[in-house]
Amino acid sequence: MAVTIPSIPKGTRDFLPEEMARRNYIFDTIREVYSLYGFMQIETPAMENLSTLMGKYGEEGDKLLFKILNSGDFLSKVPQDELSAASSGKLLRKISEKGLRYDLTVPFARFVVQYRDKLKFPFRRYQIQPVWRADRPQKGRYREFFQCDADMVGSDSLLCEVDFVNILDEVFSRLGIRVDIRINNRKILAGMAEAVGAEDKITDMTTAIDKLDKIGLENVNAELEEKGFSKESIAKLQPILALSGDNTEKMDGLRQVLSASETGTKGLEEMRTLFGLLKNTPLVNNLTLDLTLARGLNYYTGTILEVRALDVQIGSIAGGGRYDNLTGVFGMPGLSGVGISFGADRIYDVLNQLDLYPSDAQSKVRIIFLNLGEKEAAVSMGYLQQLRKAGIACEIYPDAAKFKKQMSYCNDRNVPFVGIVGESELAENVVSVKNMATGEQQKLGIGQITDLLSV
Amino acid sequence: MAVTIPSIPKGTRDFLPEEMARRNYIFDTIREVYSLYGFMQIETPAMENLSTLMGKYGEEGDKLLFKILNSGDFLSKVPQDELSAASSGKLLRKISEKGLRYDLTVPFARFVVQYRDKLKFPFRRYQIQPVWRADRPQKGRYREFFQCDADMVGSDSLLCEVDFVNILDEVFSRLGIRVDIRINNRKILAGMAEAVGAEDKITDMTTAIDKLDKIGLENVNAELEEKGFSKESIAKLQPILALSGDNTEKMDGLRQVLSASETGTKGLEEMRTLFGLLKNTPLVNNLTLDLTLARGLNYYTGTILEVRALDVQIGSIAGGGRYDNLTGVFGMPGLSGVGISFGADRIYDVLNQLDLYPSDAQSKVRIIFLNLGEKEAAVSMGYLQQLRKAGIACEIYPDAAKFKKQMSYCNDRNVPFVGIVGESELAENVVSVKNMATGEQQKLGIGQITDLLSV
């Protein structure tokens, strides 16, 4: 066999033990909080039928799907004239029937419809799995990355939103990341568009005002004008964009603005109810009504949520919203729900930048025994088994290598303690335990070591 | 958009909450035990370059790889004449450069070579990820399934084998599955072949005697004769196959048989040392020297391990062995190691058949609050937050639906307790807590509920 120089496809990643421990810390935190709120984990296969995936993410999305070649002699069913036509698009349909999942939402919609008779609604599910996109790889954008979604489907109740706001708050509190949770409502945005007489231009309006923070009011107005908003519309929008104060003050200000719009009034009412309900479950982080927030506008129909880190400039690190037709495309219309998603890769970067990982997210091994010879190692193996029975992760250097080499391995592994069993320790039935932080060394019986490391 | 009837590709599976909880129970058990022994988790991407995968699993394996179509206009670089030739094999190389991983071993070998300067050897890694094979789907054989591998590379020491035998024993003890752990050594098999004068026929020999349990001695001998073994060879093999008694007796019996073979004697010595070392770490399950065990013969070079469930007929549920050239094909020769792998799907079936899942592997939610109205729900949300702060998973039915509908949901979710906050409970600052197993109902303050459910 020829020697291959090893590498992985661009845009994909290997996770070494230290990175993996840190990622598990994030996933475990999210998983624990989801579970506390009654969400149940599901998994779907990496491959979905292309008929499930195609047409769900727009034309661009179709191109970004990774397609799987049919197995076996994949050309056998392709007529010669179609082959000669050399059209990738037409040939594709003949040689590929499966693709890798592009997100967790479409597979979840497919799942809900497929098992509609088995699931109990309202259904709370979470799902943490990789997705694949044939995007051009760049810094922070990968072709394989994990999504961490939770959705609650089959209920219109704003209590669902309360749970999700609390989950966002709780996860970031646990991770030690200070955040601003921003909230808006698609119906309020619709009301705003109505109020300024631009009902049909809601997308243009939200796209423009979404940039308020970045480009400033003057440029937003210029963009609106460019998109065909009348001077009158733009003038009417100014007091809305100028609304300030706390959430209650903003809602009070909105009341009159939206009074003529039924949808807008409904949205405002939902927002008031939600803020009222949230008084029962105090948050650690700020929840801010942000009228410029328009995330996923074409998909969301009610509440919109987005989370930003306060101490790192990195964009949104979590988000979500309410939708009212998750499964229509699979023949089950009118299923309403709310969902959120955590951006694990960005959260990983934030934790790294702020150095917020707990020390035990790295090495779980508490003690490594050196190997000073056959007899010593044999006795050590018995000690190790006792430690493990007490739930203490430990190991022995497998070879009776030079002392220095073994100690260097222990240093690299970053363990708090090293156990040494030599001739004298054998005779005394003890282990010399070296504290790697202080350099102190003491002789202890295995029971004492168990106590020491169980702390 | 047209309505699609939802389904998934054949040979793949969705995991619903209950199945998922059971699978997590298995994976978590394996993960915990691996961690106790110092193994560190890594992950590799689902997609590998085809240059990494092809030629590693034999001709048949190459066919069973799922290949990914190059993205974009994948035909653009294919000359017209090659297209017209309509050869799937030739076209493949032009339109596909990536494949889904087929196992965890080849990606791990690639990983070790790629990061050889970053890793500390001896390196203990574990990896639990799905693999994909375009096999014909059938009962118990899937196109996507999980492997749970642990390997220790960079050491010749038999202490590694001791760890793996202990890990196998510990995992199945924790799962409550009674097993027989069988052990053999490739060098002993080589010695047997030498001893009967059929050095060059070791594969034929092991393939035949591997069937001893199933087809009986007579048929094994017939197969050996068919494969060209001389009558003398077959006669010499009989006393070896007839070796009985405990492990020590078998090893004693082997000593003379293998005395003329250097390799065989070495293998026997390894086996004796290993059994000696294992005296320091007593096992719960039986470890049996099985001279007919020949799993992965072409790959393993020393110890061979296999685990079978005692109470279910299902074949091997875990196995592994020592190899001495994991990474040669990637340009790093001579790297020795030992590895094992758990068959998660079969273990899942065994646990189901023996009904061995702990009850908390199913629902973690301890209490569901009914929703009897706006005010009642709002107060309940506060209670729920207090319970969650105490680590108790809980939820509220989001809609103020009919009592019967809500109770039926609680029944389906299989929760131990239901919390009821109605008008009288509101007035008294209590919750009526119904024990779903006994039907008993009592009024409790939220502090009392926390105590009740923290047990």
Side-chain angles (χ1 to χ4, degrees), chain A residues 211-339:
Chain A
K211 300 176 189 158
L212 192 57
D213 271 358
K214 277 187 211 142
I215 63 174
L217 185 60
E218 220 166 295
N219 289 315
V220 166
N221 288 339
E223 181 170 327
L224 287 169
E225 205 175 334
E226 201 178 290
K227 292 285 181 187
F229 280 71
S230 69
K231 285 210 154 43
E232 204 192 338
S233 282
I234 296 174
K236 277 186 179 164
L237 194 59
Q238 302 309 300
I240 307 180
L241 296 183
L243 280 175
S244 66
D246 64 17
N247 297 322
T248 312
E249 286 164 339
K250 278 190 208 156
M251 286 190 284
D252 288 345
L254 270 177
R255 194 173 48 166
Q256 225 181 335
V257 176
L258 300 181
S259 60
S261 157
E262 201 181 318
T263 309
T265 302
K266 177 88 174 38
L268 186 56
E269 200 180 294
E270 286 180 12
M271 190 65 75
R272 276 193 196 282
T273 307
L274 183 50
F275 272 103
L277 282 168
L278 279 162
K279 285 190 184 132
N280 300 292
T281 56
L283 304 175
V284 173
N285 294 285
N286 279 331
L287 178 67
T288 312
L289 172 55
D290 177 357
L291 297 176
T292 69
L293 181 64
R295 185 191 174 90
L297 184 71
N298 297 321
Y299 180 59
Y300 294 134
T301 53
T303 303
I304 304 170
L305 289 163
E306 188 170 276
V307 179
R308 281 166 190 275
L310 290 181
D311 303 310
V312 177
Q313 283 283 46
I314 200 168
S316 134
I317 55 177
R322 178 173 283 282
Y323 42 83
D324 63 10
N325 191 13
L326 176 71
T327 50
V329 65
F330 295 116
M332 184 181 171
L335 189 72
S336 175
V338 202

Side-chain angles (χ1 to χ4, degrees), chain A residues 1-4 6-9 12-17 20 24 35-38 40-49 51-52 55-56 66-69 71 73-75 80 83-84 86-88 91-92 95 98 100 110-111 113-115 118-124 132 134 143-144 146 152 155-157 159-160 162-163 166 170 277 280-282 329-331 365 371 377-378 381-382 385 388 391-399 409 412-413, chain B residues 1-4 6-9 12-17 20 24 35-38 40-49 51-52 55-56 66-69 71 73-75 80 83-84 86-88 91-92 95 98 100 110-111 113-115 118-124 132 134 143-144 146 152 155-157 159-160 162-163 166 170 277 280-282 329-331 365 371 377-378 381-382 385 388-389 391-399 409 412-413:
Chain A
M1 267 183 281
V3 166
T4 324
S7 68
I8 50 177
T12 69
R13 290 167 291 175
D14 288 310
F15 297 109
L16 276 74
M20 197 64 214
N24 279 340
S35 296
L36 274 181
Y37 284 79
M40 297 175 291
Q41 191 173 11
I42 68 158
E43 284 188 359
T44 62
M47 298 187 277
E48 294 274 353
N49 291 321
S51 57
T52 299
K56 308 304 189 298
F66 278 111
K67 285 120 193 155
I68 311 230
L69 210 50
S71 34
D73 183 7
F74 57 88
L75 286 182
Q80 183 69 39
L83 248 189
S84 308
S87 153
S88 293
L91 188 58
L92 176 64
I95 64 175
K98 293 181 285 290
L100 294 179
R110 189 266 307 147
F111 179 98
V113 177
Q114 193 169 337
Y115 304 101
K118 277 186 137 179
L119 304 176
K120 324 292 176 207
F121 295 95
F123 180 57
R124 301 171 190 244
W132 294 269
R143 293 185 145 192
E144 175 181 69
F146 276 72
M152 173 138 179
S155 170
D156 283 335
S157 167
L159 293 180
C160 310
V162 175
D163 272 1
N166 275 291
E170 178 71 19
L277 282 168
N280 300 292
T281 56
V329 65
F330 295 116
V365 170
N371 184 336
M381 294 300 277
Q385 198 186 36
R388 288 174 185 138
I392 297 160
C394 52
E395 56 181 82
I396 184 171
Y397 195 90
D399 305 287
Y409 172 84
D412 288 341
R413 286 292 302 277
Chain B
M1 265 184 284
V3 166
T4 325
S7 67
I8 49 177
T12 69
R13 290 168 290 174
D14 288 310
F15 297 109
L16 275 76
M20 197 63 214
N24 279 340
S35 294
L36 274 181
Y37 283 79
M40 298 174 291
Q41 193 174 10
I42 68 160
E43 284 188 359
T44 61
M47 296 187 278
E48 294 274 352
N49 291 320
S51 57
T52 300
K56 308 304 189 297
F66 278 110
K67 285 120 192 157
I68 313 241
L69 210 49
S71 34
D73 183 6
F74 57 87
L75 286 183
Q80 183 69 42
L83 249 188
S84 309
S87 152
S88 293
L91 188 58
L92 175 64
I95 65 174
K98 292 182 285 292
L100 294 179
R110 190 264 309 147
F111 178 97
V113 177
Q114 194 169 335
Y115 304 101
K118 277 186 136 179
L119 303 175
K120 324 291 175 207
F121 295 95
F123 180 56
R124 298 170 192 247
W132 294 270
R143 292 184 147 194
E144 175 181 68
F146 276 71
M152 174 142 179
S155 169
D156 283 334
S157 167
L159 293 180
C160 310
V162 176
D163 273 1
N166 275 290
E170 178 71 20
L277 282 167
N280 299 291
T281 56
V329 66
F330 295 115
V365 169
N371 185 333
M381 292 302 275
Q385 199 187 34
R388 286 171 186 141
K389 284 211 188 302
I392 298 160
C394 52
E395 58 181 81
I396 183 171
Y397 195 90
D399 305 287
Y409 172 84
D412 287 342
R413 286 293 301 280

